[in-house]
């Protein structure tokens, strides 16, 4: 079946739902497609103890605050409940269990090929997320390792690791939180393997101020200045962590985000305490694996029973839109919403930055406004064209378009 729609949104995570709600608020209807059977599938798959590391007010859908009584940093399940509630608002047209396989351009707009059928859209929003494809480094000997080796996206809670020696690879928010949870949850030994010392920020800033409120404020300052302030604050909050294996990062927080799309590790103070107390032992980067061992960059061998790779994700957009010349470096869209990457095609989300979820809401609102005006312009053009063909308007020979 070939249905034509004003707007199709691909993805029913926070970015896709925010987009559909903003379009609805602008008086437009959109079809939202998601391969999963439920909305917010990325959040459903994340570890049990996960809480937002961004303030709820900076993490909300357009014009839709979290319910009263929600904590400053909502839990994974509260985020899911909130997404579900708003995805269920009247006027939302969700088509779940529908995987988008490829997007094509034609003379009338966009053709969306899905696992179910084919849809046509005048305008398209792609919101498939920046955490689509888990990355596990291709270490020499990886296949020989006899213990358990998983990506952090497969980790749920510390129970399966009780009494075991575990190395967590990667000192981002997830890696540090998982290492801490394992240390608290009865793992026999926990190492945290670090290639590049991370920038670390505390989830909770001074007093009641959420850390990302300060980060979002700093984001708007010149990068060098923001980095100097953040470095000073980190030194005051965390102290010097060099003797615990976390030396001073070479690049500042904001330069890292802007140049490399790398967000800092945002954690609670107790994670840093566990490192200082040696309950998490920081070691150098993993270089290779053997049947029972892991070799580190400084030549030391450790013998973990499990390796958890908190080694990030790729955006994984190539199969969908790789042929449309809209992707640039590291598979990142060349333009992000509200700017179109091609006429009538926008990418919402995909940007690693402070208050990422809230920023998606902004992208969604601005995109909805632009889409409404582009659709209006297209309609009035069409009407003009029909008018030209209308003999009553007496415009002479019609121009063929
Ligand atoms: C562990 C973790 C914690 C995070 N915590 C925070 C935080 O505290 N604050 C913050 O601001 N950000 C956080 N982020 C970053 C980011 O905001 C979230 O990942 C957020 O879920 C991204 O929303 P999204 O809608 O862009 O993508 P997703 O939530 O990943 O949603 C994308 C949707 O697209 C669907 N999809 C993908 N491909 C297709 C396809 N081909 N066809 C149909 N559907 C498809 C997926 O099923 C999914 O439902 C976190 C990320 C991770 C990994």
């Amino acid at each position: 079946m070939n249905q034509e729609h004003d707007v199709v949104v691909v993805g029913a995570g926070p970015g896709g739902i925010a987009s559909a709600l903003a379009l609805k608020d602008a008086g437009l209807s959109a079809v939202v497609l998601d391969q999963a059977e439920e909305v917010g599938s990325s959040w459903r798959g994340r570890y049990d103890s996960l809480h937002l590391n961004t303030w709820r007010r900076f993490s909300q859908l357009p014009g839709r605050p979290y319910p009263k009584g929600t904590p400053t940093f909502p839990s994974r399940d509260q985020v899911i409940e909130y997404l579900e509630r708003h995805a269920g608002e009247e006027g939302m047209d969700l088509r779940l269990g529908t995987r988008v396989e490829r997007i094509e351009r034609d003379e009338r707009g966009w053709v969306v090929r899905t696992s179910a059928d084919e849809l046509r859209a005048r305008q398209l929003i792609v919101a498939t997320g920046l955490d689509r494809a888990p990355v596990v480094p291709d270490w020499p000997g990886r296949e020989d390792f006899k213990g358990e080796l998983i990506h952090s996206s497969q980790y749920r809670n510390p129970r399966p690791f009780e009494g075991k020696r575990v190395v967590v690879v990667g000192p981002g928010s997830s890696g540090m939180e998982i290492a801490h949870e394992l240390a608290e949850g009865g793992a026999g030994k926990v190492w945290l393997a670090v290639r590049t010392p991370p920038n670390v920020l505390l989830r909770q800033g001074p007093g009641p101020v959420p850390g990302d409120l300060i980060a979002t404020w700093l984001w708007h300052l010149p990068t060098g200045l923001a980095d100097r302030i953040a470095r000073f604050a980190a030194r005051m909050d965390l102290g010097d962590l060099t003797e615990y294996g976390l030396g001073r990062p070479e690049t500042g927080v904001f330069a890292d985000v802007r140049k490399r799309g790398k967000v800092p590790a945002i954690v609670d103070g107790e994670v840093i305490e566990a490192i200082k107390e040696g309950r998490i032992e920081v070691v150098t980067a993993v270089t290779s694996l053997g049947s029972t061992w892991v070799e580190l960059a400084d030549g030391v061998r450790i013998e973990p029973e499990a390796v958890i790779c908190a080694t990030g994700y790729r955006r994984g957009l190539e199969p969908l839109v790789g042929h449309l010349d809209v992707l640039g470096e590291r598979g990142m869209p060349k333009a992000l919403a509200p700017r179109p990457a091609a006429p009538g095609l926008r990418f919402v989300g995909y940007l690693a930055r402070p208050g990422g979820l809230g920023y998606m809401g902004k992208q969604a609102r601005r995109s909805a406004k632009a889409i409404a005006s582009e659709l209006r312009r297209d309609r009035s053009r069409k009407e003009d064209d029909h008018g030209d063909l209308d003999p009553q308007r007496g415009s002479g020979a019609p121009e063929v378009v």
Side-chain angles (χ1 to χ4, degrees), residues 235-282:
R235 194 65 180 239
M236 300 301 285
D237 287 342
L238 312 169
D240 183 358
L241 300 174
T242 310
E243 66 175 294
Y244 309 104
L246 294 178
R248 183 181 147 137
E250 279 174 18
T251 320
V253 176
F254 296 93
D256 244 4
V257 177
R258 289 194 196 282
K259 289 188 195 140
R260 296 197 286 155
K262 190 168 175 217
V263 287
I266 304 177
V267 294
D268 290 323
E270 60 232 40
V271 176
I272 303 303
E273 286 313 305
I275 291 174
K276 287 181 175 171
E277 288 163 13
R279 285 181 285 128
I280 300 171
E281 184 185 342
V282 177

Side-chain angles (χ1 to χ4, degrees), residues 9-17 19-20 32-35 94 100 125-129:
V9 176
V10 185
I17 296 172
S19 302
V32 183
L33 307 172
D34 200 296
Q35 62 194 9
L94 290 178
V100 174
I125 290 183
V126 179
T128 51

Side-chain angles (χ1 to χ4, degrees), residues 10-17 33-36 38-43 46-47 50-54 58-59 98-101 127-132 174 313 320 348-350 353-358 360:
V10 185
I17 296 172
L33 307 172
D34 200 296
Q35 62 194 9
E38 295 170 300
V39 302
S41 65
S42 298
W43 281 88
R46 288 176 185 161
Y47 48 97
L50 181 66
H51 281 70
L52 285 185
N53 54 29
T54 49
F58 282 175
S59 310
T98 309
R99 180 177 165 73
V100 174
E101 277 151 6
T128 51
L130 77 167
D131 313 310
R132 188 82 329 255
S174 297
Y313 299 81
L320 275 192
V348 167
Y350 301 100
R353 54 158 283 162
L357 286 167
M360 281 179 216

